[in-house]
Amino acid sequence: MSGNPLDVTARQTENRATGVRETVLEFSGDCDFVTAELLRAAVLDVLPDLPRGSELTLDLSGVGLFDSSGLSALIMAHRHTTRAGVALALRGAGDHLLRILDITGVAAHFAATRAAVAAEAEREPRPSAASAD
């Protein structure tokens, strides 16, 4: 049973450099057997408003538990967006989810996710050897 309900917030931003409008669904809570359908439903809700060739980003940085039901919902969301001609990107996926994506072979569908995580890691300052006590 779900410990924390899954909440979703939809927002649109515009990339100042490119002028491209980005649609983001921000999730917080647990994505499990009880709540996973909310992820898929949220994607289906915004999909009709997105033009072909656009991108939908799922921000999962606020998600704690992510089980096989969540993975299934994520795969279904990917299928729906692909059929609609909309790219699906993940942001804020934790190590646990990234490992699940790797183990199940689903990571290839979210290659942009791995690239984004790597880019974020490169931008973050690393502690120097002198500061590591």
Side-chain angles (χ1 to χ4, degrees), residues 4 12 16 18 26 43 45 48 53 55 61 66 76 82 111 113 127:
N4 296 312
Q12 290 197 339
R16 292 181 184 175
T18 65
E26 296 175 340
V43 170
D45 282 348
E55 182 175 284
S61 57
F66 204 100
M76 291 305 295
T82 300
T113 301

Side-chain angles (χ1 to χ4, degrees), residues 17-66:
T18 65
V20 174
R21 188 167 219 171
E22 178 185 41
T23 301
V24 178
L25 294 177
E26 296 175 340
F27 293 91
S28 62
D30 292 339
C31 191
D32 60 12
F33 179 75
V34 175
T35 62
E37 178 58 26
L38 295 172
L39 185 147
R40 192 178 73 81
V43 170
L44 290 176
D45 282 348
V46 299
L47 204 50
D49 298 327
L50 302 177
R52 291 186 73 76
S54 64
E55 182 175 284
L56 173 62
T57 300
L58 305 183
D59 185 341
L60 303 174
S61 57
V63 176
L65 176 74
F66 204 100

Side-chain angles (χ1 to χ4, degrees), residues 2 4 7 9-10 15 25 35-36 38 67 69 73-74 77 82 84 88 125 131:
S2 183
N4 296 312
D7 293 319
T9 303
N15 183 319
L25 294 177
T35 62
L38 295 172
D67 72 4
S69 298
L74 199 57
T82 300
L88 183 64
S131 66

